Amino acid sequence: MERAEAYGFSAAMSGAFLLSCLLFAAISRRQRGPYMDEVFHVPQAQAYCHGRFLQWDPMITTLPGLYLVSVGVVKPTAWLFGWTGSVVCSAGMLRFINLLFSAGNFYLLYLLLFKIHQKNKAVSGFQRILSTLTLATFPTLYFFTFLYYTDPGSVFFTLFAYLMCLYGNHKTSALLGFCGFMFRQTNIVWTVFCAGNVVAERLNEAWKTELQKKKDEKISSRKGSFADLIRIFQFLIEYLISPKNFVTLTALTWPYIVLVTVFFVFVFINGGIVVGDRSSHEACLHFPQLFYFLSFTVFFSFPHLLTPTKIRKFLLSLRKHPVQYSLIAVISLFLIWKFTYVHKYLLADNRHYTFYVWRKVFQRHELVKYVLVPVYIFAGWSFTDTLKSKSVFWILMYFVCLLAVTVPQKLLEFRYFILPFLIYRLNIPFPSLYRQLLELAFYIVVNAVTFYLFLNRTFQWPNSDEIQRFMW
């Protein structure tokens, strides 16, 4: 990092942290007590603070990573500063843990952008800092910086594991992946993603060697015709079933294999992936979740995905391949028809934005969910088009992980999209400075509206004196 870039990064990170502290103070004054899921998380962390590690709230569905880290930070800090009484492990003190995670995420995002795009000499230090600031203020993640939720810590350990994987420190990466798993069980998918990075790199090298042997430059490891993809899949199967290649890949990825094995042992002993209350977290094949994620990504990355150039390219592709797109449309309609699920929380809880998205869009008419198929197809094409700089094996691996982390979820919940979105956004090419500034401005506006609504547009439910607030 050059000196000017180091100063710029320090200034951006310090300024973002200071602004977050001011916003944290405002939110803590307005909402002193636990809110929403905090009514489960805060008492559980406080029980751990008092040494009651065998006490467990059956309504909590995640493992105790957040509470263990909180106690590990709060207790030494309280001892160091001589704090006693209710201030130790208070709701405000526990929320501050996520503010620290947010600062860590800022640094990790910068390091990941630097590592992933280090070969692109055209990217300036200012662009890296600007993209870091943008992703650190990604609205769905940034909002939960100020509440005692698992998301900031979950993102921190997963991004840290990804960074260590890219640097080849796979044992450290697997250990950090275990920490991420302790925050949220579905993070095991991103451990598989890290292992997949190693495998995809090997596959890409072997594929290039295969091309050189055959001297067939018409086939590309990045994009091509349907016949090219068939050949790539044939190569993939032949490579993976080779005992020699299998042993090599196992030797490279054994730390991740150990962690995934631990995960399956946990699932077997626990009788499922969810701890605590399972009645509202049943796994199912909810394929439209992929469509919701793609729409979510287009919304938050519209400066990159929703451009006149991309629309023209999509229409040209549509005209050149009408049969393929027609088949995709038919499959999409079938998946929506047979695999759309509506969770009871989505219909009942009017504090979440998803409640209004569902009511204002999908519940307007029974046919709306089918009419949106062209939007989903464009979103999927644009999404994939921005990843064309990655190898086909990396793209395949990422989509497998994306399906694994979204499709089994019955509830439409924007928080489930945070990690797949960030990993996608980290890996697309750097856009122009204008688009970066537009993206940052958009995030600032969305955050401003979100916090304004949360702080000032409160309401009450009938037969309840509690103040309710709008949130993600």
Side-chain angles (χ1 to χ4, degrees), residues 261-281:
T261 303
V262 169
F263 167 76
F264 281 114
V265 171
F266 159 77
V267 171
F268 177 77
I269 295 173
N270 187 55
I273 191 173
V274 176
V275 298
D277 178 33
R278 300 178 186 177
S279 61
S280 301
H281 295 83

Side-chain angles (χ1 to χ4, degrees), residues 185-257:
Q185 293 91 305
T186 53
N187 285 342
I188 195 67
V189 171
W190 302 113
T191 296
V192 175
F193 172 80
C194 289
N197 264 278
V198 180
V199 174
E201 188 176 342
R202 285 286 173 150
L203 284 168
N204 200 41
E205 291 172 0
W207 178 244
K208 288 179 179 178
T209 303
E210 183 78 7
L211 293 181
Q212 289 174 359
K213 286 180 181 177
K214 296 183 177 181
K215 297 181 180 181
D216 186 358
E217 297 300 331
K218 292 181 181 180
I219 302 176
S220 169
S221 65
R222 293 178 183 172
K223 54 184 177 179
S225 67
F226 184 73
D228 293 338
L229 291 176
I230 293 296
R231 290 194 61 180
I232 289 171
F233 275 109
Q234 288 175 342
F235 164 78
L236 178 62
I237 294 170
E238 290 172 3
Y239 185 92
L240 294 178
I241 63 175
S242 166
K244 180 182 176 181
N245 294 331
F246 180 79
V247 171
T248 301
L249 293 176
T250 301
L252 288 170
T253 60
W254 70 263
Y256 306 112
I257 294 172

Side-chain angles (χ1 to χ4, degrees), residues 143-419:
F143 177 83
F144 291 101
T145 297
F146 307 98
L147 296 177
Y148 192 58
Y149 274 58
T150 58
D151 300 273
S154 168
V155 169
F156 175 82
F157 284 110
T158 303
L159 292 182
F160 205 170
Y162 184 29
L163 181 67
M164 290 298 99
C165 170
L166 294 178
Y167 276 100
N169 299 328
H170 300 301
K171 286 181 281 189
T172 304
S173 176
L175 181 61
L176 291 164
F178 174 76
C179 295
F181 165 72
M182 289 294 289
F183 272 70
R184 185 168 292 165
Q185 293 91 305
T186 53
N187 285 342
I188 195 67
V189 171
W190 302 113
T191 296
V192 175
F193 172 80
C194 289
N197 264 278
V198 180
V199 174
E201 188 176 342
R202 285 286 173 150
L203 284 168
N204 200 41
E205 291 172 0
W207 178 244
K208 288 179 179 178
T209 303
E210 183 78 7
L211 293 181
Q212 289 174 359
K213 286 180 181 177
K214 296 183 177 181
K215 297 181 180 181
D216 186 358
E217 297 300 331
K218 292 181 181 180
I219 302 176
S220 169
S221 65
R222 293 178 183 172
K223 54 184 177 179
S225 67
F226 184 73
D228 293 338
L229 291 176
I230 293 296
R231 290 194 61 180
I232 289 171
F233 275 109
Q234 288 175 342
F235 164 78
L236 178 62
I237 294 170
E238 290 172 3
Y239 185 92
L240 294 178
I241 63 175
S242 166
K244 180 182 176 181
N245 294 331
F246 180 79
V247 171
T248 301
L249 293 176
T250 301
L252 288 170
T253 60
W254 70 263
Y256 306 112
I257 294 172
V258 170
L259 181 53
V260 172
T261 303
V262 169
F263 167 76
F264 281 114
V265 171
F266 159 77
V267 171
F268 177 77
I269 295 173
N270 187 55
I273 191 173
V274 176
V275 298
D277 178 33
R278 300 178 186 177
S279 61
S280 301
H281 295 83
E282 300 171 351
C284 62
L285 289 176
H286 193 182
F287 288 106
Q289 284 277 27
L290 177 62
F291 304 145
Y292 306 148
F293 169 76
L294 292 172
S295 304
F296 172 90
T297 302
V298 167
F299 179 79
F300 281 108
S301 295
F302 78 91
H304 320 305
L305 301 182
L306 198 61
T307 64
T309 301
K310 279 199 174 291
I311 293 172
R312 284 195 298 269
K313 283 179 64 179
F314 172 70
L315 292 176
L316 181 61
S317 177
L318 197 64
R319 191 172 63 183
K320 290 174 66 176
H321 309 286
V323 177
Q324 288 93 322
Y325 283 103
S326 297
L327 181 60
I328 292 171
V330 170
I331 294 172
S332 300
L333 290 168
F334 175 77
L335 293 176
I336 291 170
W337 175 43
K338 285 294 186 181
F339 296 97
T340 295
Y341 296 92
V342 184
H343 199 285
K344 59 184 179 181
Y345 288 172
L346 185 61
L347 300 176
D349 197 337
N350 66 345
R351 293 170 293 185
H352 292 289
Y353 293 161
T354 48
F355 172 88
Y356 298 96
V357 170
W358 195 262
R359 191 179 72 174
K360 299 290 186 182
V361 178
F362 293 94
Q363 285 190 317
R364 281 190 174 275
H365 195 278
E366 179 65 23
L367 294 178
V368 168
K369 59 186 178 183
Y370 302 109
V371 172
L372 288 173
V373 164
V375 176
Y376 298 149
I377 293 175
F378 169 76
W381 176 88
S382 186
F383 181 89
T384 307
D385 186 63
T386 52
L387 290 173
K388 63 185 179 182
S389 61
K390 312 296 289 188
S391 76
V392 70
F393 304 109
W394 189 97
I395 295 171
L396 177 63
M397 175 267 302
Y398 172 78
F399 269 96
V400 168
C401 292
L402 174 60
L403 289 170
V405 83
T406 56
V407 168
Q409 305 282 359
K410 187 176 183 179
L411 176 63
L412 172 57
E413 169 66 82
F414 291 148
R415 290 190 297 137
Y416 300 156
F417 298 158
I418 292 173
L419 274 169

